Amino acid sequence: MKFIWFSALWLLLFGVISNGLSANNSSRSDVVTLGAILSFDSPIGKVAKIAIEEAVKDVNVNSSVLKGTKLVVKMHDSNCSGFLGMVGAIQFMETDAVAIIGPESSVVAHTLSFVTNDLQVPLLSYAATDPTLSSLQFPYFVRTTQSDLYQMTAIADIVTHYGWKQVVVIYLDDDYGRNGMSALGDALAARRCEISYKVGITPRVSNRDDILDILVKVKNVESRIIVLHTYSTIGFMVFSLAKYLGMTGDGYVWIATDWLTSVADSIADFPPEQMDDLQGALVLRQHTADSERKRAFSKKWVKRTAGTLGLSSYGFYAYDTVWLVAHAIDAFFRQGGIVSFSKYSRLQEVEGSTLHLEAMSIFDGGPLLLKNILQSDFIGLSGTVKFNSDGSLIHPAYDVMNVVGSGFHRIGYWSKNSGLSTVPPEVLYTMPPNLSSSNQVLKPVVWPGDTVDTPRGWSFPENGNLLRIGVPNRASFREFVARVRGTDDFKGFCIDVFTAAETLLPYPFHYKFIPFGDGRKNPSYDEIVQKITTGELDGVVGDIAIVTNRTKEVDFTQPFATSGLVIVAPFKRLNTGAWAFLRPFSPQMWSVTAIFFIVVGVVVWILEHRINDEFRGPPKRQIITVVWFSLSTMFFAQRENTMSTLGRGVLIIWLFVVLIINSSYTASLTSILTVQQIYSPIKGIDSLKETDGPIGYQEGSFSEHYLSGEIGIAKSRLVSLGSPEEYATALQKGPRNGGVAAVVDERPYVELFLSSQCKFRIVGQEFTRSGWGFAFPRESPFAIDFSTAILQLSENGDLQRIHDKWLTKSSCSKDNTEIYSDQLHLKSFWGLFLICGVVCFVSLLIYFLRILQKYRRAARDEPDSEDQSTSHTKRLRTLLSIIDEKVDPYRRHKRRKLESLSNDNTENGIETNAKTPRRLQSSIF
């Protein structure tokens, strides 16, 4: 009986499973059609065509994928034409294709994406790398290769790695080229680099002469880093003509995108003459991970093509694309999907038209199939096939190749996870991201010209034009910059530094000096720097101060002279005299010190008066004691002893203050009596600002803007002076006679002025820090190269020799060139006085609180008086008596000792009581 029931249950279960399998199989189509739009004659199209055919064969013989459903791919030759590609797509829509593979052209992909979006047919491109082709605009577009967004990021990382700042881009003037170039510009900008020059080549129309004209323009720009982003036919022509023009030699850098490796990998025998044109170039290639399946497929490929066609990375992506669709269709059937199409209601047949638009239909299962495609995750020939949230393949990576000799040598890799590295990306993607600059590394490169030295990335343009270098035509201080009369030549300290640095440049520097100014007055340096930003000048040479507002507009070289604003003022020599001992302290310092001597004496007297006999007595005597005690602390010779804890605390703090004051006074007085002193009423920029006298500045200098804008001195107080002679005249007259109180100028000018004017000195410290440098346009490589040359001049001593040649001519003594304040002011000691004052206040507060406590106890013991006025008088007398009361400081100690001895005598049988005579009690103890 059990056996019968078991058999029935088994048959029932078997029937359910069979029905389910038959129902699942019934939803599967016998044949699924795919469309493929290729360019049969292009290098990528030739490889992709065979790769797709091989993939279809492998899918159909693999029973674990489509499980009986046959995959059919119908191919259409677009010939890289958007119109022909669209026609092919429409034809596929008439044959019920569930997906379209291709196209390889980004331009065609843009056109087809509009069609496939409306008809809900996934478009899977293995070669359209245009970064603007995104799933946001075209939901049914699936890129099964890497976007040029990553390729351009890799190029930007290479440019940054070698320290270049500007690049030239030659691109194909279509969607593919323009959008790729735009992505490169964004990637470079994020790394503080830029595209200095870009030129587009018109596809299909450009000939040899057109490209030759473009290269001549490129040759006349400074940058020597050239990025070539085109198709193969135009790309090889560019390299050939570049070699003809001498643009593939030493100093140039060529970076080609992956079009070059895709062609080179697909050509079995690369022409030697083309390889010669490419020597030293850097090339990118889409990285495909090494695996056993990849090597097996490569061997199969050689047999299939008989060695006549190579296998590029796009062949691996095309092969994986077929498998991607096969896996997605299998999942589509397993989820109950049915291949069905419905009419496109928005299409209406045009009357009299021969186009059968009504044959086009919408793929009903398109959304489900697209979902399965984007959720795919398997290992293909190219590596992991999996998409991220924005519809791009994960783990983008490129091989960085260097063309050397007869082949392409890999010098490293680029990955989104770690940038440039010599470690394979599949290893790096298993580690945490690391994009630090120290982690960026590539193997040595053989550059164009067969050199291993990294090119500097730019050169002087070969257009025959001389660089226009502006020079201020000064009217004063001509030792720095001076125009040679009757010529356009200049001489001076700054000119000698420039010419010496120019000889150290590793290339010829062709220039001509452009004078700025009439020579009768000093020109505005801000105006001459501004001419660089407007393009009127290519640089400025001279005594140009490096200040903030100028650095926002131009780039400066390394400073070749230190500078900064200083104050020049008249002075007088101070004799020691009979009252020299008063000069160490300012009057305010003397006053505060004297007051504190008296205050501390009074505080100590108050704290000691009740318990110390030395601070008691007649009023006259007490006044003398206070004064004597205060003054004697100056020499630590006070005779009176302090007995209270509060008094001793105050005295300790005060003696510390006195020690500091004495030491400072002694040091200052020693300096005054032993060193020749000079005096000026102006001590620095603060005291100059507080006065109301006129202030002189050099005509054309930035000091006017600094004094008015930064310091806040009224412009009405500023007087423009044009020469050292005017400096001396204005300073001698002084502010009361139509002159100035001081002159504010840069240190080099002041030092040259003081070398012949001995009546003036520098007052205070330098209150700005800057230097002189040569100015060039922003991002100009000249600024870097001249900075390097200036550092070399400094290191080998030439810079100092040039300085001594022009600026060492002093006829004045160098003793005490700068004036400093010789007095000690209260602001240097207010912290000490504050501490002492706080201690005195706290001690008095504690003292009076104690007095108040004693007064309250005494007031409670006194009987209340009926007369109010008598009561107040009595309380006041009580308070004064407590304050003036003599207290034995040892009384409390004696009382405690008496009580202790009394207890001991009681224990020994000796009794003491109140009747015991006081003398007897004293004798006992």
Side-chain angles (χ1 to χ4, degrees):
M1 191 67 178
K2 292 181 179 180
F3 175 76
I4 295 174
W5 279 105
F6 180 77
S7 300
L9 184 60
W10 171 254
L11 291 174
L12 180 61
L13 182 61
F14 180 77
V16 172
I17 295 176
S18 300
N19 290 333
L21 290 175
S22 62
N24 187 37
N25 290 332
S26 64
S27 65
R28 290 181 177 269
S29 301
D30 294 333
V31 177
V32 175
T33 303
L34 302 180
I37 300 177
L38 313 173
S39 182
F40 292 166
D41 293 333
S42 69
I44 295 178
K46 292 178 181 179
V47 173
K49 183 175 182 297
I50 298 176
I52 292 174
E53 291 173 351
E54 291 297 318
V56 171
K57 291 179 182 179
D58 294 342
V59 168
N60 287 330
V61 300
N62 192 327
S63 59
S64 63
V65 182
L66 290 178
K67 300 180 178 61
T69 299
K70 183 179 180 181
L71 190 65
V72 176
V73 177
K74 295 183 179 180
M75 297 187 182
H76 174 78
D77 185 9
S78 68
N79 197 24
C80 290
S81 169
F83 175 74
L84 294 178
M86 184 175 64
V87 171
I90 293 175
Q91 291 176 351
F92 293 144
M93 296 303 100
E94 296 177 357
T95 59
D96 294 343
V98 299
I100 299 176
I101 298 176
E104 64 186 75
S105 170
S106 297
V107 177
V108 179
H110 271 283
T111 304
L112 296 186
S113 295
F114 290 101
V115 178
T116 56
N117 271 0
D118 284 349
L119 301 181
Q120 299 183 175
V121 177
L123 178 65
L124 299 92
S125 178
Y126 57 88
T129 58
D130 181 358
T132 63
L133 285 167
S134 66
S135 58
L136 294 177
Q137 182 180 6
F138 306 113
Y140 282 85
F141 174 79
V142 180
R143 195 197 318 270
T144 59
T145 186
Q146 300 298 341
S147 168
D148 276 342
L149 178 66
Y150 300 115
Q151 181 172 211
M152 298 308 170
T153 303
I155 293 177
D157 282 345
I158 292 174
V159 171
T160 306
H161 175 67
Y162 290 110
W164 303 318
K165 293 297 182 182
Q166 296 179 337
V167 302
V168 174
V169 180
I170 302 175
Y171 63 96
L172 198 66
D173 196 9
D174 61 4
D175 291 340
Y176 162 76
R178 287 191 298 269
N179 295 328
M181 183 270 298
S182 178
L184 176 60
D186 294 340
L188 289 171
R191 292 155 178 79
R192 300 180 66 84
C193 303
E194 66 174 354
I195 299 176
S196 61
Y197 185 74
K198 55 188 176 182
V199 57
I201 300 177
T202 305
R204 297 180 179 274
V205 179
S206 298
N207 53 36
R208 182 182 179 88
D209 293 336
D210 295 334
I211 296 177
L212 197 62
D213 292 340
I214 289 174
L215 290 178
V216 170
K217 295 178 182 178
V218 171
K219 191 175 183 179
N220 289 331
V221 299
E222 293 179 358
S223 178
R224 290 294 180 260
I225 313 300
I226 304 174
V227 178
L228 187 57
H229 186 51
T230 64
Y231 294 147
S232 58
T233 53
I234 295 178
F236 286 122
M237 187 182 301
V238 169
F239 272 111
S240 177
L241 294 177
K243 185 178 181 180
Y244 171 76
L245 293 175
M247 298 176 63
T248 58
D250 189 15
Y252 281 89
V253 175
W254 287 85
I255 304 176
T257 52
D258 61 352
W259 64 266
L260 180 53
T261 50
S262 65
V263 174
D265 292 341
S266 61
I267 297 177
D269 295 322
F270 202 84
E273 60 275 10
Q274 288 186 345
M275 186 62 71
D276 291 339
D277 298 339
L278 305 174
Q279 292 300 304
L282 296 181
V283 190
L284 292 181
R285 179 173 65 189
Q286 296 200 30
H287 176 77
T288 54
D290 191 21
S291 64
E292 289 293 335
R293 287 187 60 200
K294 179 180 175 181
R295 288 192 291 268
F297 184 78
S298 299
K299 294 179 180 179
K300 182 180 178 181
W301 182 275
V302 174
K303 294 179 180 180
R304 165 72 187 270
T305 61
T308 59
L309 183 65
L311 179 59
S312 66
S313 58
Y314 288 104
F316 296 119
Y317 284 112
Y319 182 90
D320 289 343
T321 302
V322 176
W323 277 91
L324 172 64
V325 177
H327 284 296
I329 293 175
D330 182 58
F332 173 82
F333 285 143
R334 283 190 282 106
Q335 295 168 3
I338 300 175
V339 177
S340 62
F341 295 85
S342 58
K343 295 297 181 180
Y344 190 23
S345 59
R346 296 173 61 184
L347 278 176
Q348 296 180 359
E349 184 177 1
V350 180
E351 184 178 356
S353 174
T354 58
L355 294 176
H356 298 285
L357 298 179
E358 73 281 359
M360 298 180 61
S361 55
I362 298 175
F363 178 33
D364 298 327
L368 180 58
L369 180 60
L370 176 65
K371 177 182 177 182
N372 290 327
I373 289 174
L374 296 177
Q375 291 180 348
S376 298
D377 184 4
F378 66 96
I379 304 298
L381 297 183
S382 61
T384 302
V385 180
K386 184 179 180 180
F387 297 92
N388 56 24
S389 58
D390 62 359
S392 301
L393 287 175
I394 64 172
H395 301 165
Y398 287 86
D399 298 337
V400 183
M401 316 296 290
N402 182 207
V403 182
V404 181
S406 60
F408 292 77
H409 297 270
R410 185 166 53 206
I411 61 172
Y413 307 91
W414 179 90
S415 64
K416 184 181 178 181
N417 200 42
S418 301
L420 300 174
S421 176
T422 56
V423 180
E426 51 268 23
V427 177
L428 295 174
Y429 276 116
T430 62
M431 303 177 183
N434 185 0
L435 293 173
S436 62
S437 57
S438 60
N439 193 52
Q440 307 301 298
V441 61
L442 290 173
K443 295 179 181 178
V445 179
V446 178
W447 302 101
D450 197 25
T451 177
V452 295
D453 296 330
T454 302
R456 65 175 177 268
W458 71 276
S459 181
F460 189 80
E462 300 179 7
N463 54 10
N465 295 328
L466 297 177
L467 288 174
R468 298 157 299 175
I469 304 299
V471 183
N473 189 10
R474 295 189 57 87
S476 62
F477 293 107
R478 296 172 61 84
E479 291 84 354
F480 296 102
V481 179
R483 185 177 183 179
V484 180
R485 296 187 182 276
T487 69
D488 287 335
D489 294 333
F490 285 81
K491 64 180 181 179
F493 167 69
C494 300
I495 301 301
D496 280 6
V497 173
F498 174 76
T499 55
E502 185 263 332
T503 59
L504 297 178
L505 298 179
Y507 50 86
F509 187 80
H510 307 294
Y511 65 93
K512 62 178 180 179
F513 285 140
I514 306 296
F516 183 79
D518 56 11
R520 292 188 294 270
K521 65 177 182 178
N522 294 333
S524 171
Y525 281 42
D526 287 337
E527 292 182 9
I528 189 173
V529 171
Q530 185 69 28
K531 287 186 176 297
I532 297 179
T533 62
T534 59
E536 299 179 52
L537 296 175
D538 299 311
V540 174
V541 170
D543 46 343
I544 313 298
I546 305 173
V547 293
T548 303
N549 63 316
R550 296 172 185 170
T551 57
K552 295 178 180 179
E553 299 177 345
V554 297
D555 281 350
F556 282 92
T557 64
Q558 176 79 15
F560 60 86
T562 58
S563 180
L565 293 179
V566 293
I567 302 173
V568 181
F571 71 95
K572 62 180 180 179
R573 299 186 183 276
L574 296 178
N575 298 321
T576 54
W579 302 100
F581 69 91
L582 294 177
R583 281 170 42 196
F585 286 163
S586 64
Q588 189 180 22
M589 180 67 180
W590 279 117
S591 302
V592 173
T593 303
I595 291 173
F596 261 83
F597 270 106
I598 301 302
V599 169
V600 171
V602 173
V603 170
V604 173
W605 179 84
I606 293 174
L607 299 176
E608 296 290 324
H609 178 70
R610 300 181 71 243
I611 62 176
N612 194 336
D613 290 337
E614 295 181 351
F615 289 88
R616 297 184 66 85
K620 182 178 180 180
R621 176 185 172 187
Q622 294 306 301
I623 293 174
I624 295 174
T625 299
V626 170
V627 174
W628 171 255
F629 176 82
S630 299
L631 296 179
S632 61
T633 56
M634 180 184 300
F635 311 101
F636 304 98
Q638 67 277 8
R639 295 180 302 176
E640 294 79 7
N641 294 323
T642 53
M643 301 179 64
S644 67
T645 303
L646 296 177
R648 290 173 178 175
V650 171
L651 185 60
I652 289 174
I653 298 300
W654 174 242
L655 291 179
F656 175 75
V657 174
V658 170
L659 174 64
I660 301 300
I661 293 176
N662 281 344
S663 301
S664 303
Y665 176 85
T666 303
S668 180
L669 183 62
T670 302
S671 175
I672 291 173
L673 297 179
T674 57
V675 179
Q676 176 65 54
Q677 298 292 312
I678 54 180
Y679 168 77
S680 172
I682 298 173
K683 306 304 180 183
I685 187 62
D686 293 333
S687 61
L688 182 63
K689 181 180 178 181
E690 293 172 357
T691 63
D692 56 358
I695 302 172
Y697 68 91
Q698 184 181 167
E699 184 180 25
S701 172
F702 77 95
S703 55
E704 177 189 12
H705 171 74
Y706 185 85
L707 292 173
S708 61
E710 301 295 333
I711 303 300
I713 297 176
K715 287 188 175 182
S716 59
R717 294 179 55 191
L718 302 181
V719 179
S720 175
L721 303 174
S723 66
E725 292 75 17
E726 293 185 17
Y727 283 16
T729 302
L731 288 172
Q732 287 175 351
K733 288 182 179 180
R736 297 183 179 180
N737 300 317
V740 296
V743 172
V744 176
D745 204 353
E746 295 180 71
R747 180 176 284 275
Y749 302 120
V750 170
E751 290 179 346
L752 187 61
F753 169 71
L754 295 180
S755 66
S756 59
Q757 297 290 337
C758 306
K759 299 179 181 179
F760 313 104
R761 290 291 184 269
I762 294 176
V763 175
Q765 297 288 343
E766 190 173 305
F767 55 92
T768 64
R769 297 287 182 181
S770 62
W772 289 353
F774 306 136
F776 292 98
R778 297 300 297 268
E779 306 297 336
S780 172
F782 292 132
I784 299 175
D785 287 350
F786 268 97
S787 295
T788 303
I790 290 172
L791 289 176
Q792 292 178 358
L793 292 175
S794 177
E795 292 170 357
N796 61 26
D798 288 344
L799 191 60
Q800 184 61 42
R801 284 188 283 271
I802 296 174
H803 177 276
D804 296 340
K805 170 187 174 182
W806 289 96
L807 306 180
T808 304
K809 48 179 69 176
S810 177
S811 60
C812 296
S813 172
K814 292 296 182 181
D815 296 337
N816 301 315
T817 302
E818 297 186 7
I819 298 177
Y820 297 97
S821 175
D822 58 346
Q823 284 190 329
L824 299 175
H825 296 271
L826 179 62
K827 63 182 179 180
S828 301
F829 298 91
W830 72 267
L832 289 173
F833 288 121
L834 177 62
I835 294 174
C836 184
V838 170
V839 171
C840 291
F841 175 77
V842 172
S843 299
L844 287 177
L845 180 62
I846 295 174
Y847 173 80
F848 282 114
L849 288 176
R850 291 178 178 177
I851 294 297
L852 183 60
Q853 186 179 13
K854 292 179 179 295
Y855 168 75
R856 288 178 177 176
R857 286 201 300 265
R860 285 198 301 266
D861 295 339
E862 293 181 358
D864 296 334
S865 175
E866 295 180 359
D867 189 356
Q868 190 75 10
S869 58
T870 304
S871 175
H872 287 307
T873 303
K874 193 172 183 180
R875 291 178 181 177
L876 179 60
R877 289 177 180 177
T878 302
L879 178 61
L880 294 177
S881 63
I882 292 174
I883 294 175
D884 191 56
E885 178 185 6
K886 175 67 173 70
V887 177
D888 186 359
Y890 302 104
R891 184 176 61 183
R892 184 178 301 174
H893 174 72
K894 292 180 179 179
R895 184 183 298 114
R896 291 178 180 176
K897 185 175 181 181
L898 179 63
E899 292 176 355
S900 176
L901 292 177
S902 175
N903 293 334
D904 292 342
N905 291 335
T906 302
E907 293 176 359
N908 295 329
I910 302 176
E911 296 183 359
T912 59
N913 50 47
K915 297 181 179 180
T916 304
R918 183 180 301 271
R919 184 175 300 175
L920 179 60
Q921 294 180 20
S922 301
S923 63
I924 293 176
F925 304 114

